[in-house]
Amino acid sequence: MDGYICTSSELQRRETILAIPETQDTTARIAVTPELMREAAKVRYDGYLSYGYIEAHRDKLFTDGYDAAANSRTVVIYRDYRPAATIRVTLLDLDGRWPSADKVPSMDIFGAEILALGETAMRAGRSGRIVEINRFASAPSFANDRTLIIAAFRMVAYLRLYFDADLMINAVRTQHMPMYRRLGFKKIEEPRQYPNLNFSTGLMAMFPEQYETALQKIGFPDGVSVSDPIYTRLIAGESVPAFSSSWSNPRPPEVPNATITIGG
């Protein structure tokens, strides 16, 4: 998920990480079709390329094997019906009850450490399910729109409930660790080079006792729960409002030519 930029002094001036915007023009949807996945891959490519994290290539999409995996869900966030950001959540299930959930992306660099977290949770009587927050990116035209991090975190919170996970982990770049630490994540391992990307990341984790505190710090106005109608609609693949479950326009109209095609 790492990709949010702010200064530590800004964070210290706020009781919450960010102020919830008073807007109805931000929606989110799980990428349940090839067209939606292309939108996510295009935003991800443009965002990562703009920061120099990847090299340019012809198809102008950034994808990997986890995008189509049964244990991953990719969300596209829209501003005024334009794809503005994307985030992916991937499940590791050490119990083996979830099909093909035996690996998450950061295990390529923190494999032993992530397995140890899950095994410790299981010894404590929890399920040992871990969700990794990964592939957060915003389109360059929205690079300074910090409210997108709120929308992304809210979708992550719903997907943690969907996967029924005990822990959340994230591979975080060094300069962004203070924000995640303030939110409730703890540093598990120092940064290491991330495979095939031009940066290093450290491993951070959020434990169950920090979830409610994290939601309060972000300042979600309506909470996050499986009884929230937003949860049901999001998991069903519908477009949902990013900031309020009581939004008066529950199904935004379709906009012609809103889908980004390959090479667009």
Side-chain angles (χ1 to χ4, degrees), residues 23-27 81 222 240-242 244-252:
T23 179
Q24 298 180 351
D25 61 0
T26 306
T27 58
Y81 308 108
D222 298 303
V240 300
S244 175
S245 62
S246 58
W247 190 30
S248 60
N249 184 12
R251 284 178 173 78

Side-chain angles (χ1 to χ4, degrees), residues 37-253:
M37 192 63 240
R38 287 190 187 96
E39 289 185 340
K42 175 62 173 172
V43 170
R44 193 188 293 165
Y45 173 85
D46 289 343
Y48 276 54
L49 183 68
S50 70
Y51 283 104
Y53 297 153
I54 59 173
E55 303 298 326
H57 53 261
R58 183 176 298 178
D59 67 6
K60 298 182 180 179
L61 300 174
F62 182 23
T63 63
D64 61 34
Y66 288 97
D67 287 329
N71 61 327
S72 284
R73 296 293 184 273
T74 296
V75 175
V76 186
I77 300 167
Y78 300 87
R79 175 63 51 79
D80 289 326
Y81 308 108
R82 297 167 56 199
T86 182
I87 194 165
R88 187 173 68 192
V89 175
T90 307
L91 172 70
L92 173 66
D93 181 11
L94 298 183
D95 261 350
R97 297 182 182 181
W98 189 281
S100 304
D102 57 351
K103 190 176 181 182
V104 293
S106 290
M107 289 179 74
D108 287 344
I109 47 177
F110 299 111
E113 293 81 2
I114 293 171
L115 289 174
L117 286 171
E119 291 166 358
T120 298
M122 293 175 71
R123 287 196 296 271
R126 299 196 294 268
S127 71
R129 290 193 187 96
I130 298 172
V131 285
E132 180 184 339
I133 308 164
N134 58 88
R135 292 294 190 258
F136 176 78
S138 57
S141 58
F142 293 95
N144 296 320
D145 187 342
R146 297 185 298 180
T147 64
L148 293 174
I149 195 68
I150 305 174
F153 264 113
R154 189 174 194 190
M155 299 308 117
V156 167
Y158 286 126
L159 287 171
R160 183 193 71 82
L161 293 174
Y162 172 68
F163 284 124
D164 192 21
D166 291 323
L167 303 172
M168 289 194 292
I169 61 171
N170 193 2
V172 182
R173 287 185 286 283
T174 304
Q175 65 269 34
H176 301 156
M177 283 184 170
M179 189 277 287
Y180 285 94
R181 187 178 297 111
R182 178 174 169 82
L183 182 60
F185 282 83
K186 296 181 179 179
K187 184 171 70 174
I188 306 300
E189 286 293 325
E190 295 291 340
R192 302 173 188 173
Q193 178 62 42
Y194 203 101
N196 304 315
L197 293 172
N198 299 328
F199 56 75
S200 297
T201 59
L203 180 65
M204 301 190 78
M206 182 184 290
F207 297 88
E209 57 268 24
Q210 294 298 323
Y211 291 152
E212 289 304 317
T213 299
L215 293 178
Q216 292 171 11
K217 286 183 177 180
I218 296 175
F220 293 141
D222 298 303
V224 172
S225 72
V226 294
S227 61
D228 186 338
I230 298 300
Y231 171 86
T232 303
R233 289 176 48 203
L234 178 73
I235 298 307
E238 296 184 33
S239 177
V240 300
F243 299 122
S244 175
S245 62
S246 58
W247 190 30
S248 60
N249 184 12
R251 284 178 173 78

